[in-house]
Coordinates of all heavy atoms in Angstrom, one line a residue:
M82 N 12.1 -28.5 40.0 CA 10.7 -28.8 40.2 C 9.8 -27.9 39.4 O 10.1 -26.7 39.2 CB 10.4 -28.6 41.7 CG 10.9 -29.8 42.6 SD 10.0 -31.3 42.2 CE 11.2 -32.5 42.8
T83 N 8.7 -28.4 39.0 CA 7.7 -27.6 38.3 C 6.4 -27.6 39.1 O 6.0 -28.6 39.6 CB 7.4 -28.3 36.9 OG1 8.6 -28.4 36.2 CG2 6.4 -27.5 36.1
T84 N 5.8 -26.4 39.2 CA 4.5 -26.3 39.8 C 3.5 -26.0 38.7 O 3.7 -25.1 37.9 CB 4.5 -25.1 40.8 OG1 5.5 -25.4 41.8 CG2 3.2 -25.0 41.5
S85 N 2.5 -26.8 38.7 CA 1.4 -26.6 37.7 C 0.1 -26.5 38.4 O -0.1 -27.1 39.5 CB 1.4 -27.7 36.6 OG 1.2 -29.0 37.2
T86 N -0.8 -25.7 37.9 CA -2.1 -25.6 38.5 C -3.2 -26.0 37.5 O -3.1 -25.7 36.3 CB -2.4 -24.2 39.0 OG1 -2.3 -23.3 37.9 CG2 -1.5 -23.8 40.2
W87 N -4.2 -26.7 38.0 CA -5.3 -27.2 37.2 C -6.6 -26.9 37.9 O -6.6 -26.6 39.1 CB -5.1 -28.8 37.1 CG -3.7 -29.2 36.7 CD1 -2.6 -29.3 37.5 CD2 -3.3 -29.5 35.4 NE1 -1.5 -29.7 36.8 CE2 -1.9 -29.9 35.5 CE3 -3.9 -29.6 34.2 CZ2 -1.2 -30.3 34.4 CZ3 -3.2 -30.0 33.1 CH2 -1.8 -30.3 33.2
T88 N -7.7 -27.1 37.2 CA -9.0 -26.9 37.8 C -9.8 -28.1 37.6 O -9.9 -28.7 36.5 CB -9.7 -25.7 37.1 OG1 -8.9 -24.5 37.3 CG2 -11.1 -25.4 37.8
V89 N -10.4 -28.6 38.7 CA -11.2 -29.8 38.7 C -12.6 -29.4 39.1 O -12.8 -28.7 40.1 CB -10.6 -30.8 39.7 CG1 -11.6 -32.0 39.9 CG2 -9.3 -31.3 39.3
T90 N -13.6 -29.9 38.3 CA -15.0 -29.6 38.6 C -15.7 -30.8 39.3 O -15.3 -31.9 39.0 CB -15.7 -29.2 37.3 OG1 -15.6 -30.3 36.4 CG2 -15.2 -28.0 36.7
G91 N -16.6 -30.4 40.1 CA -17.5 -31.5 40.7 C -17.1 -31.8 42.1 O -17.9 -32.6 42.7
M92 N -16.1 -31.2 42.7 CA -15.7 -31.6 44.1 C -16.7 -30.8 45.0 O -16.8 -29.6 44.8 CB -14.3 -31.2 44.4 CG -13.3 -32.0 43.6 SD -11.6 -31.8 44.2 CE -11.4 -30.0 43.7
T93 N -17.2 -31.5 46.0 CA -18.1 -30.8 46.9 C -17.8 -30.9 48.4 O -18.4 -30.2 49.2 CB -19.6 -31.3 46.8 OG1 -19.5 -32.8 47.0 CG2 -20.1 -31.1 45.4
C94 N -16.8 -31.8 48.7 CA -16.6 -32.0 50.2 C -15.1 -32.5 50.4 O -14.4 -32.7 49.4 CB -17.6 -32.9 50.8 SG -17.4 -34.6 50.3
A95 N -14.8 -32.7 51.6 CA -13.5 -33.2 52.0 C -13.2 -34.6 51.4 O -12.0 -34.9 51.0 CB -13.3 -33.2 53.5
H96 N -14.2 -35.4 51.2 CA -14.0 -36.7 50.6 C -13.5 -36.5 49.2 O -12.7 -37.3 48.7 CB -15.3 -37.5 50.7 CG -15.2 -38.7 49.8 ND1 -15.7 -38.8 48.6 CD2 -14.7 -39.9 50.1 CE1 -15.5 -40.0 48.1 NE2 -14.9 -40.7 49.0
C97 N -14.1 -35.6 48.5 CA -13.8 -35.4 47.1 C -12.3 -34.9 47.0 O -11.5 -35.4 46.2 CB -14.6 -34.2 46.5 SG -16.4 -34.5 46.5
V98 N -11.9 -34.0 47.9 CA -10.6 -33.5 47.9 C -9.6 -34.7 48.2 O -8.6 -34.8 47.5 CB -10.4 -32.5 49.1 CG1 -8.9 -32.1 49.3 CG2 -11.2 -31.2 48.7
K99 N -10.0 -35.6 49.1 CA -9.1 -36.7 49.4 C -8.9 -37.6 48.2 O -7.8 -38.1 47.9 CB -9.7 -37.5 50.6 CG -8.8 -38.6 51.1 CD -9.3 -39.0 52.5 CE -8.4 -40.1 53.1 NZ -8.7 -41.4 52.4
A100 N -10.1 -37.9 47.5 CA -10.0 -38.8 46.4 C -9.1 -38.2 45.3 O -8.3 -38.9 44.7 CB -11.5 -39.0 45.9
V101 N -9.3 -37.0 45.0 CA -8.5 -36.3 43.9 C -7.0 -36.3 44.3 O -6.2 -36.6 43.5 CB -9.0 -34.9 43.6 CG1 -8.1 -34.1 42.7 CG2 -10.4 -35.0 43.0
T102 N -6.8 -35.9 45.6 CA -5.4 -35.8 46.1 C -4.7 -37.2 45.9 O -3.6 -37.2 45.4 CB -5.4 -35.4 47.5 OG1 -6.0 -34.1 47.6 CG2 -4.0 -35.3 48.0
E103 N -5.4 -38.3 46.3 CA -4.8 -39.6 46.2 C -4.5 -40.0 44.8 O -3.4 -40.5 44.5 CB -5.7 -40.6 46.9 CG -5.7 -40.5 48.4 CD -6.6 -41.5 49.1 OE1 -7.3 -42.2 48.4 OE2 -6.6 -41.5 50.3
E104 N -5.4 -39.7 43.9 CA -5.2 -40.2 42.5 C -4.1 -39.3 41.8 O -3.3 -39.9 41.1 CB -6.5 -40.0 41.7 CG -7.5 -41.1 42.0 CD -7.1 -42.5 41.8 OE1 -6.2 -42.7 40.9 OE2 -7.6 -43.4 42.4
V105 N -4.1 -38.1 42.1 CA -3.1 -37.2 41.4 C -1.7 -37.5 42.1 O -0.7 -37.6 41.3 CB -3.4 -35.7 41.6 CG1 -2.3 -34.8 41.1 CG2 -4.7 -35.4 40.8
A106 N -1.7 -37.8 43.4 CA -0.4 -38.1 44.0 C 0.2 -39.4 43.5 O 1.4 -39.6 43.5 CB -0.6 -38.2 45.5
A107 N -0.7 -40.3 42.9 CA -0.2 -41.5 42.4 C 0.4 -41.4 41.0 O 1.0 -42.4 40.5 CB -1.4 -42.5 42.3
I108 N 0.3 -40.2 40.3 CA 0.9 -40.0 39.0 C 2.4 -40.1 39.2 O 3.0 -39.5 40.2 CB 0.5 -38.7 38.4 CG1 -1.0 -38.6 38.2 CG2 1.3 -38.4 37.1 CD1 -1.5 -37.2 37.7
E109 N 3.1 -40.8 38.3 CA 4.5 -41.0 38.4 C 5.3 -39.6 38.5 O 5.1 -38.7 37.7 CB 5.1 -41.8 37.2 CG 6.6 -42.0 37.3 CD 7.0 -43.2 36.5 OE1 6.2 -43.7 35.7 OE2 8.1 -43.6 36.7
G110 N 6.1 -39.5 39.5 CA 6.9 -38.3 39.7 C 6.4 -37.2 40.5 O 7.1 -36.3 41.0
V111 N 5.0 -37.3 40.8 CA 4.4 -36.2 41.6 C 4.9 -36.2 43.0 O 4.9 -37.3 43.7 CB 2.9 -36.3 41.5 CG1 2.2 -35.4 42.5 CG2 2.4 -36.0 40.1
E112 N 5.3 -35.1 43.5 CA 5.9 -35.0 44.8 C 4.9 -34.4 45.8 O 5.0 -34.7 47.0 CB 7.2 -34.1 44.8 CG 8.2 -34.6 43.8 CD 9.5 -35.0 44.5 OE1 9.8 -34.4 45.5 OE2 10.3 -35.8 43.9
D113 N 4.1 -33.5 45.3 CA 3.1 -32.9 46.3 C 1.9 -32.4 45.5 O 1.9 -32.0 44.4 CB 3.8 -31.7 47.0 CG 2.9 -31.2 48.2 OD1 2.3 -32.0 48.8 OD2 2.9 -30.0 48.4
V114 N 0.7 -32.5 46.2 CA -0.6 -32.1 45.6 C -1.3 -31.3 46.7 O -1.4 -31.7 47.8 CB -1.4 -33.4 45.3 CG1 -2.7 -32.9 44.6 CG2 -0.6 -34.3 44.4
Q115 N -1.8 -30.2 46.2 CA -2.6 -29.3 47.1 C -3.9 -29.1 46.4 O -3.9 -28.6 45.3 CB -2.0 -28.0 47.4 CG -0.6 -28.1 48.2 CD -0.8 -28.7 49.6 OE1 -1.8 -28.5 50.2 NE2 0.2 -29.4 50.1
V116 N -5.1 -29.5 47.1 CA -6.4 -29.3 46.4 C -7.1 -28.2 47.2 O -7.3 -28.3 48.5 CB -7.2 -30.6 46.4 CG1 -8.5 -30.3 45.8 CG2 -6.4 -31.6 45.6
E117 N -7.7 -27.2 46.6 CA -8.5 -26.2 47.2 C -9.9 -26.4 46.8 O -10.3 -26.3 45.7 CB -8.0 -24.8 46.7 CG -8.4 -23.7 47.6 CD -7.8 -22.4 47.2 OE1 -6.5 -22.4 47.1 OE2 -8.5 -21.4 47.0
L118 N -10.7 -26.9 47.8 CA -12.1 -27.2 47.5 C -12.9 -26.1 47.0 O -13.7 -26.2 46.0 CB -12.7 -27.8 48.8 CG -14.2 -28.2 48.7 CD1 -14.4 -29.3 47.7 CD2 -14.7 -28.6 50.1
E119 N -12.8 -24.9 47.5 CA -13.7 -23.8 47.2 C -13.5 -23.4 45.7 O -14.5 -23.0 45.1 CB -13.3 -22.5 48.0 CG -13.7 -22.7 49.5 CD -12.7 -23.6 50.3 OE1 -11.6 -23.9 49.8 OE2 -13.1 -24.1 51.4
T120 N -12.3 -23.5 45.2 CA -12.1 -23.0 43.8 C -11.9 -24.2 42.8 O -11.9 -24.0 41.6 CB -10.8 -22.1 43.7 OG1 -9.7 -22.9 44.2 CG2 -11.0 -20.9 44.6
G121 N -11.7 -25.4 43.4 CA -11.4 -26.5 42.5 C -10.0 -26.5 42.0 O -9.6 -27.3 41.1
T122 N -9.1 -25.7 42.6 CA -7.8 -25.6 42.1 C -6.9 -26.7 42.6 O -6.9 -26.9 43.8 CB -7.2 -24.2 42.5 OG1 -8.0 -23.2 42.0 CG2 -5.7 -24.1 42.0
V123 N -6.2 -27.3 41.7 CA -5.3 -28.4 42.1 C -3.9 -28.0 41.7 O -3.6 -27.7 40.6 CB -5.6 -29.7 41.4 CG1 -4.6 -30.8 41.9 CG2 -7.0 -30.1 41.8
T124 N -3.0 -27.9 42.7 CA -1.6 -27.5 42.5 C -0.7 -28.7 42.6 O -0.8 -29.4 43.6 CB -1.2 -26.4 43.5 OG1 -2.1 -25.3 43.4 CG2 0.2 -25.9 43.2
V125 N 0.1 -29.0 41.6 CA 0.9 -30.2 41.6 C 2.4 -29.8 41.4 O 2.7 -29.0 40.6 CB 0.5 -31.0 40.3 CG1 1.3 -32.3 40.3 CG2 -1.0 -31.4 40.4
I126 N 3.2 -30.4 42.3 CA 4.6 -30.2 42.2 C 5.3 -31.5 41.8 O 5.0 -32.6 42.4 CB 5.1 -29.7 43.6 CG1 4.5 -28.4 44.0 CG2 6.7 -29.6 43.6 CD1 4.9 -27.9 45.3
A127 N 6.1 -31.4 40.7 CA 6.7 -32.6 40.2 C 8.0 -32.1 39.4 O 8.1 -31.0 39.1 CB 5.8 -33.3 39.2
P128 N 8.9 -33.0 39.2 CA 10.1 -32.7 38.5 C 9.8 -32.1 37.1 O 10.4 -31.1 36.7 CB 10.9 -34.0 38.4 CG 10.4 -34.8 39.5 CD 9.0 -34.4 39.7
T129 N 8.9 -32.8 36.4 CA 8.3 -32.3 35.1 C 6.9 -32.7 35.1 O 6.5 -33.7 35.7 CB 9.1 -32.9 33.9 OG1 8.9 -34.3 33.9 CG2 10.5 -32.4 33.9
G130 N 6.1 -32.1 34.2 CA 4.7 -32.5 34.1 C 3.9 -32.2 35.3 O 4.3 -31.4 36.1
P131 N 2.8 -33.0 35.6 CA 2.3 -34.0 34.7 C 1.7 -33.5 33.4 O 1.4 -32.3 33.3 CB 1.2 -34.7 35.6 CG 0.8 -33.5 36.5 CD 2.0 -32.7 36.7
T132 N 1.5 -34.4 32.5 CA 0.8 -34.0 31.2 C -0.7 -33.8 31.5 O -1.2 -34.3 32.5 CB 1.0 -35.0 30.1 OG1 0.3 -36.2 30.5 CG2 2.5 -35.3 29.9
R133 N -1.3 -33.1 30.6 CA -2.8 -33.0 30.7 C -3.5 -34.4 30.6 O -4.4 -34.6 31.4 CB -3.3 -32.1 29.5 CG -4.8 -31.9 29.7 CD -5.4 -30.8 28.8 NE -6.8 -30.8 29.1 CZ -7.3 -30.0 30.1 NH1 -6.6 -29.2 30.7 NH2 -8.6 -30.0 30.3
E134 N -2.9 -35.3 29.8 CA -3.5 -36.6 29.7 C -3.4 -37.3 31.1 O -4.3 -38.0 31.5 CB -2.8 -37.4 28.7 CG -3.1 -37.1 27.2 CD -2.5 -35.7 26.8 OE1 -1.5 -35.3 27.4 OE2 -3.0 -35.1 25.9
Q135 N -2.3 -37.2 31.7 CA -2.1 -37.9 33.0 C -3.0 -37.3 34.1 O -3.6 -38.0 34.9 CB -0.6 -37.7 33.5 CG 0.4 -38.6 32.8 CD 1.8 -38.3 33.3 OE1 2.2 -37.1 33.3 NE2 2.5 -39.3 33.7
M136 N -3.2 -36.0 34.1 CA -4.0 -35.3 35.0 C -5.5 -35.7 34.8 O -6.2 -36.0 35.7 CB -3.9 -33.8 34.9 CG -2.7 -33.2 35.7 SD -2.8 -33.6 37.5 CE -4.2 -32.6 38.0
A137 N -5.9 -35.7 33.5 CA -7.3 -36.0 33.1 C -7.6 -37.4 33.6 O -8.7 -37.7 34.1 CB -7.5 -35.8 31.6
A138 N -6.7 -38.3 33.3 CA -6.9 -39.7 33.7 C -7.0 -39.9 35.2 O -7.9 -40.6 35.7 CB -5.8 -40.6 33.2
A139 N -6.2 -39.2 36.0 CA -6.2 -39.3 37.4 C -7.5 -38.7 38.0 O -8.1 -39.3 38.9 CB -5.0 -38.6 38.0
V140 N -7.9 -37.6 37.5 CA -9.1 -36.9 38.0 C -10.3 -37.7 37.6 O -11.2 -37.9 38.4 CB -9.2 -35.5 37.4 CG1 -10.5 -34.9 37.7 CG2 -8.0 -34.6 38.0
D141 N -10.3 -38.3 36.4 CA -11.4 -39.1 36.0 C -11.5 -40.4 36.9 O -12.6 -40.8 37.3 CB -11.2 -39.5 34.5 CG -12.4 -40.4 34.0 OD1 -13.5 -39.8 33.9 OD2 -12.2 -41.6 33.8
E142 N -10.4 -40.9 37.2 CA -10.3 -42.1 38.1 C -10.9 -41.8 39.4 O -11.6 -42.7 40.0 CB -8.9 -42.5 38.2 CG -8.7 -43.9 38.9 CD -9.2 -45.1 38.1 OE1 -9.1 -45.0 36.9 OE2 -9.6 -46.0 38.7
A143 N -10.7 -40.6 39.9 CA -11.3 -40.2 41.2 C -12.8 -39.9 41.1 O -13.5 -39.8 42.1 CB -10.6 -39.0 41.7
G144 N -13.3 -39.7 39.9 CA -14.7 -39.5 39.7 C -15.1 -38.1 39.4 O -16.3 -37.7 39.4
Y145 N -14.1 -37.3 39.0 CA -14.4 -35.9 38.7 C -13.8 -35.5 37.3 O -13.3 -36.4 36.6 CB -13.7 -35.0 39.8 CG -14.2 -35.4 41.1 CD1 -13.4 -36.3 41.9 CD2 -15.4 -35.1 41.6 CE1 -13.9 -36.8 43.1 CE2 -15.9 -35.6 42.8 CZ -15.1 -36.4 43.6 OH -15.6 -36.9 44.7
A146 N -13.9 -34.2 36.9 CA -13.5 -33.8 35.6 C -12.5 -32.7 35.6 O -12.6 -31.8 36.5 CB -14.8 -33.4 34.8
L147 N -11.6 -32.8 34.7 CA -10.6 -31.7 34.6 C -11.2 -30.7 33.7 O -11.6 -30.9 32.6 CB -9.3 -32.3 34.0 CG -8.0 -31.5 34.0 CD1 -7.6 -31.2 35.4 CD2 -6.9 -32.1 33.2
A148 N -11.2 -29.4 34.2 CA -11.7 -28.3 33.4 C -10.9 -28.0 32.2 O -9.7 -28.3 32.2 CB -11.9 -27.1 34.2
Ligands
CU116 CU1 -17.2 -35.1 48.3

């Protein structure tokens, strides 16, 4: 398993956290997602990856931006 951390900008509430969590969790292979609202930190656990492209697409889909 690989743990990667990312920063997402624009999240302001629990709804934002839920939206980002759901989109990132839908990336192929992702096993766990932890989103910290205060810092915008998104921790992803997966066998490999995800790639920056996958993360950017998922975060964009949720309506936010990958830093
Ligand atoms: Cu929100």
Side-chain angles (χ1 to χ4, degrees):
M82 284 295 160
T83 303
T84 300
S85 58
T86 55
W87 310 81
T88 302
V89 171
T90 57
M92 295 188 294
T93 56
C94 71
H96 168 265
C97 304
V98 170
K99 185 166 183 285
V101 170
T102 300
E103 286 179 355
E104 290 297 337
V105 174
I108 295 172
E109 181 156 13
V111 169
E112 303 240 336
D113 193 34
V114 183
Q115 296 297 329
V116 178
E117 199 173 305
L118 178 61
E119 293 74 18
T120 58
T122 303
V123 179
T124 303
V125 182
I126 297 176
T129 59
T132 64
R133 183 170 181 87
E134 286 71 21
Q135 286 176 305
M136 278 299 293
V140 169
D141 183 69
E142 189 67 31
Y145 307 95
L147 193 64

